[in-house]
Amino acid sequence: SAVISQKPSRDICQRGTSLTIQCQVDSQVTMMFWYRQQPGQSLTLIATANQGSEATYESGFVIDKFPISRPNLTFSTLTVSNMSPEDSSIYLCSVVEYSYNEQFFGPGTRLTVL
Amino acid sequence: QKEVEQNSGPLSVPEGAIASLNCTYSDRGSQSFFWYRQYSGKSPELIMFIYSNGDKEDGRFTAQLNKASQYVSLLIRDSQPSDSATYLCAVNKGGTYKYNFGTGTRLKVLA
């Protein structure tokens, strides 16, 4: 399967600031997704990152708060804007490779907002 | 009703026993089913997927799917302490790559 990396692996941020998380894949993939996993909870899909166009957001998530870019088939960024302590979570990117249906996850970014 | 339901556990089994993890789903149109293992502090790792009714075996793992009853299960034979983790069930409706995840079952294998 594709090798997925995320940067940063963790960060501690102040309220009101923004953080951009990067997801890099070592091969071209068809789909890229961004998830949030709050402490002790399951995975919640934030959005589908679309190559060359605006991301498709799930109910409860908006572009102003979570802008996403996907300039090519191997890279995507998620920005968490104007952060509050409620945004403290693990953020995960996942990918689907061409000719497959299975999602594979990156190592995640652990975000703490003070 | 949640779309994908799992018992949160913990499910405790002795080393060497069979661990049985269950998942039910509400959408009859669901077509693909996945089991992920997540160790504490790590990201989910895909361990099994199943698309057809019946059993699918891979090493110590067996996935079982019953679409008529809308459940999917994961059996882990000869359970090891290293199998202790949270197991997430994910369901895909088809026509999209999006998954619905259950809340996970925490498995503890006692040495």
Side-chain angles (χ1 to χ4, degrees), chain B residues 22-65:
Chain B
N22 298 312
C23 170
T24 59
Y25 59 94
S26 60
D27 188 337
R28 283 198 171 272
S30 300
Q31 296 186 8
S32 308
F33 307 85
F34 307 85
W35 283 101
Y36 287 83
R37 176 176 63 198
Q38 187 172 27
Y39 292 113
S40 181
K42 301 294 187 182
S43 65
E45 172 193 9
L46 180 66
I47 54 171
M48 288 288 289
F49 56 88
I50 186 166
Y51 301 146
S52 304
N53 271 331
D55 294 2
K56 179 182 178 183
E57 188 174 315
D58 184 1
R60 295 187 297 113
F61 298 100
T62 299
Q64 299 176 317
L65 175 61

Side-chain angles (χ1 to χ4, degrees), chain B residues 91-103:
Chain B
V91 174
N92 169 259
K93 283 202 294 191
T96 169
Y97 288 103
K98 293 198 298 185
Y99 294 180
N100 284 314
F101 280 87
T103 53

Side-chain angles (χ1 to χ4, degrees), chain A residues 2-108:
Chain A
V3 176
I4 309 164
S5 59
Q6 282 186 237
K7 282 196 240 184
S9 59
R10 59 178 62 227
D11 208 340
I12 300 173
C13 301
Q14 295 297 319
R15 180 195 298 261
T17 62
S18 298
L19 176 72
T20 295
I21 302 167
Q22 298 180 2
C23 179
Q24 178 75 57
V25 193
D26 70 343
S27 60
Q28 293 184 348
V29 294
T30 181
M31 304 294 292
M32 295 183 80
F33 300 96
W34 286 99
Y35 287 85
R36 181 172 73 183
Q37 188 173 33
Q38 294 181 304
Q41 303 296 314
S42 189
L43 301 166
T44 301
L45 179 64
I46 297 171
T48 304
N50 299 310
Q51 192 259 326
S53 65
E54 191 172 290
T56 304
Y57 290 85
E58 298 299 305
S59 176
F61 297 97
V62 295
I63 187 171
D64 290 346
K65 176 67 175 177
F66 297 101
I68 289 171
S69 78
R70 189 182 172 192
N72 56 51
L73 294 174
T74 64
F75 184 78
S76 179
T77 66
L78 167 74
T79 299
V80 187
S81 303
N82 188 25
M83 289 184 284
S84 67
E86 292 71 37
D87 294 319
S88 297
S89 189
I90 297 172
Y91 292 86
L92 295 147
C93 72
S94 76
V95 305
V96 177
E97 297 181 76
Y98 284 100
S99 303
Y100 293 94
N101 188 33
E102 300 82 38
Q103 285 190 31
F104 296 94
F105 285 87

